[in-house]
Amino acid sequence: MNDPLDRVQRIAARVAAPHAADVDAKARFPREALDALREERLLATFVPRDLGGLGCGIADLAAMCTALSQQCASTGMVFAMHQIQVACLVRHGLTSPFFRQYLQDLARDQGLIASVTSEVGVGGDTRTSVCAVERAGGRFTLNKDATTISYGQHADALLVTARRDPEAPGGDQVLVLLRKTDYTIAQTTSWDTLGMRGTCSPGFKMLSSGAEEQIVPGSFADSSSQTMVPFSHILWSGVWLGIAADAVARASAFVSAQARQKPGQLPPTALRLAELSAKLQSMRANVHDVTAECDTLLKSPEGNEALLTMGFALKMNNLKISCSELVAEIVHKALLICGIMGYKNDSDFSLGRQLRDAHSAALMIGNDRIYAKNASMLMVFKNR
Amino acid sequence: MTERIRNILKEHGRLSKDAATLPEDADLYQAGMTSHASVNVMLAIEGTFNIEFPDSMLKRSVFESIAAIRAAVEQLTAGG
Ligand SMILES: Cc1cc2nc3c(=O)[nH]c(=O)nc-3n(C[C@H](O)[C@H](O)[C@H](O)COP(=O)(O)OP(=O)(O)OC[C@H]3O[C@@H](n4cnc5c(N)ncnc54)[C@H](O)[C@@H]3O)c2cc1C
């Protein structure tokens, strides 16, 4: 039981599950589950062993996101978003003594990193920033009007996108790490949403200053293609797979209960369950296939070069689009199977939370935005 | 060839700087070219030089400067 995935599964069942309804009802941070993950040192899952982390890979992370989200998708999404930020630092910061030390500290203190990409004025276009890093004498200041910062109030650090300098165009961005002592945030909007309520993601005005070494080496154009986008789309899809699997499990329990009442007779809902089972399998296969390919590419220099191609970007975007659509469809169909028992908030077969959580997927970076990017790439991509 | 590339960048690159005088090794993305604009540049180059970029060449670095674009076009026209 010392395998990290086993530990996550145990936390999902024993800690995330019993608090999931309360987290959802109160739109509150899933602190019990996050405390448990910290205690098991699972916030440094992707940090290399020589820096004190667990040295897991992207496939392990995706499986962990699924396991948590089968019980509480808000917990799964917080875990996913944190790991995406850690991955950016591990994969692009290790040439810098500052970031090596930071990751060692993170492995020891189990700090939680939030993501600040979206911004008033650009919405979900992560590859454009309005705000800019202003440098002077080895220091910088950076202020950002962020539309959404998940668990902003509960984080120990922020990873922020910004233009490289005040003269740089919107797409010439860097990533900046801010520790709690470097920034202040003032909440600007509320977070009373349909779903993913436990991610606690209102808007904030952020003010910060720090030392230049806190700027991640290289350009965000590369770290976005090589790390932030693939990790986001894979780990988010892992979360959505967990929601879908949870819904199918509930529908399956419902159909079995019907079948047990009249043995020898196939319940009419069994057909629809068979349909769902096929959909869930294709969703799972897509996540596993793209994750395995990415896992291989991450491990070699040629692979990391391949992560920069349009072909890979298209595949990553397709994964996000198809899983975000499938999760909503699967939960909806599970609801139809369970009928009124799924519609009730207080039944064992309730699917309300899963349905509301699932609908965040298509707008977490709007799918049309991603379709538009793919449409543009497909004008020159030859599929050969 | 460089002049034709500069003209294409002027028309499709959406640069914030003058494509006619931009240094050959200047970073086009830092000069304001977005990924959407870069797709239009790729299309115009394929049309102008009657070439097709194979999928393996469709990445940022191949189109990051005038010099890089020229090298890519030369590679494809030499091979054909
Ligand atoms: C649960 C959750 C947690 C989040 N957490 C964070 C976080 O921690 N940090 C963070 O930075 N962000 C976070 N976000 C924000 C998210 O990443 C997006 O930025 C945000 O959802 C997009 O905002 P929007 O829909 O208002 O705006 P827009 O992106 O502007 O989209 C509005 C609409 O316009 C469409 N649209 C926009 N541009 C185009 C285009 N070019 N072509 C076609 N259609 C287009 C979209 O598809 C959408 O329908 C979170 C979102 C969710 C749902």
Side-chain angles (χ1 to χ4, degrees):
Chain A
M1 283 300 268
N2 267 330
D3 173 40
L5 179 58
D6 287 337
R7 274 142 64 189
V8 170
Q9 275 163 341
R10 205 166 54 227
I11 291 169
R14 294 191 192 162
V15 189
H19 296 287
D22 189 60
V23 164
D24 177 53
K26 298 190 178 133
R28 70 158 176 91
F29 186 67
R31 58 174 187 281
E32 299 87 353
L34 266 294
D35 285 347
L37 289 165
R38 275 200 169 98
E39 225 159 87
E40 296 272 0
R41 320 204 60 71
L42 289 158
L43 294 193
T45 313
F46 193 74
V47 176
R49 281 167 194 262
D50 62 341
L51 297 179
L54 301 181
C56 292
I58 190 167
D60 305 309
L61 292 180
M64 291 173 185
C65 290
T66 304
L68 289 169
S69 304
Q70 278 175 268
Q71 307 297 341
C72 172
S74 286
T75 301
M77 190 51 91
V78 172
F79 180 81
M81 287 192 275
H82 165 77
Q83 302 295 351
I84 295 159
Q85 316 315 308
V86 172
C88 289
L89 299 182
V90 168
R91 289 187 24 81
H92 303 278
L94 289 188
T95 54
S96 136
F98 170 82
F99 283 106
R100 293 187 76 86
Q101 185 60 51
Y102 176 78
L103 287 165
Q104 269 172 327
D105 295 348
L106 182 135
R108 187 191 58 222
D109 306 335
Q110 296 289 299
L112 184 65
I113 313 178
S115 157
V116 192
T117 57
S118 21
E119 183 174 15
V120 173
V122 295
D125 178 10
T126 58
R127 285 290 287 105
T128 305
S129 289
V130 177
C131 67
V133 178
E134 298 190 39
R135 304 176 207 223
R139 305 267 311 162
F140 70 84
T141 56
L142 171 60
N143 303 326
K144 185 162 183 171
D145 195 355
T147 55
T148 326
I149 308 181
S150 289
Y151 54 93
Q153 295 286 18
H154 307 273
D156 303 293
L158 306 177
L159 194 60
V160 187
T161 50
R163 285 185 295 136
R164 188 182 298 280
D165 57 62
E167 274 70 53
D172 184 16
Q173 298 159 290
V174 288
L175 274 173
V176 183
L177 179 78
L178 303 172
R179 294 155 304 181
K180 200 137 202 168
T181 46
D182 304 318
Y183 67 85
T184 58
I185 49 173
Q187 193 170 331
T188 50
T189 57
S190 60
W191 184 253
D192 181 7
T193 50
L194 268 185
M196 286 295 184
R197 292 168 60 80
T199 62
C200 300
S201 317
F204 293 94
K205 268 207 162 72
M206 180 205 89
L207 305 178
S208 77
S209 64
E212 269 192 56
E213 60 185 3
Q214 290 169 238
I215 302 169
V216 176
S219 116
F220 180 59
D222 293 336
S223 53
S224 172
S225 303
Q226 290 182 312
T227 306
M228 192 179 277
V229 170
F231 276 74
S232 297
H233 290 190
I234 286 174
L235 298 192
W236 293 352
S237 295
V239 168
W240 302 331
L241 178 61
I243 299 175
D246 179 16
V248 174
R250 283 167 196 244
S252 178
F254 181 84
V255 174
S256 301
Q258 277 190 324
R260 278 194 291 268
Q261 283 175 1
K262 286 185 191 158
Q265 224 178 324
L266 192 68
T269 49
L271 226 58
R272 295 276 81 91
L273 180 64
E275 181 197 12
L276 265 196
S277 155
K279 284 195 192 295
L280 181 66
Q281 182 175 323
S282 73
M283 182 178 182
R284 194 185 298 279
N286 196 359
V287 176
H288 287 184
D289 177 65
V290 177
T291 305
E293 178 177 343
C294 184
D295 197 20
T296 309
L297 294 178
L298 291 171
K299 286 175 181 150
S300 74
E302 308 80 54
N304 273 289
E305 202 45 40
L307 296 176
L308 294 167
T309 59
M310 263 189 199
F312 184 75
L314 280 162
K315 196 171 279 183
M316 278 298 138
N317 286 348
N318 287 338
L319 175 72
K320 192 275 172 181
I321 289 169
S322 98
C323 289
S324 63
E325 288 175 352
L326 263 175
V327 65
E329 186 189 339
I330 288 174
V331 180
H332 177 227
K333 293 201 155 142
L335 172 66
L336 296 181
I337 290 175
C338 296
I340 200 72
M341 295 307 281
Y343 200 62
K344 287 189 178 191
N345 284 327
D346 56 357
S347 98
D348 288 344
F349 305 105
S350 173
L351 284 158
R353 172 165 54 85
Q354 289 76 4
L355 190 70
R356 290 180 287 101
D357 287 346
H359 278 294
S360 68
L363 43 121
M364 198 160 176
I365 311 292
N367 277 0
D368 268 0
R369 216 182 245 291
I370 300 178
Y371 270 123
K373 281 199 171 152
N374 282 5
S376 170
M377 289 193 271
L378 284 166
M379 290 197 292
V380 281
F381 189 74
K382 288 144 195 97
N383 276 301
R384 320 194 266 259
Chain B
M1 181 188 300
T2 306
E3 284 319 301
R4 288 159 88 189
I5 294 173
R6 285 185 188 278
N7 283 337
I8 288 169
L9 285 170
K10 201 179 178 80
E11 197 171 342
H12 302 284
R14 304 249 216 117
L15 305 181
S16 56
K17 297 178 177 137
D18 185 3
T21 55
L22 199 67
E24 291 200 5
D25 59 353
D27 187 313
L28 296 173
Y29 302 102
Q30 287 181 6
M33 185 167 72
T34 62
S35 49
H36 184 68
S38 75
V39 167
N40 291 327
V41 169
M42 292 171 198
L43 286 168
I45 288 177
E46 288 191 334
T48 303
F49 296 102
N50 195 25
I51 52 174
E52 283 203 334
F53 292 110
D55 290 343
S56 60
M57 284 177 85
L58 295 175
K59 52 186 176 193
R60 266 178 86 80
S61 54
V62 172
F63 302 90
E64 73 188 354
S65 66
I66 293 170
I69 295 175
R70 193 182 53 224
V73 174
E74 277 168 358
Q75 184 189 331
L76 291 175
T77 44

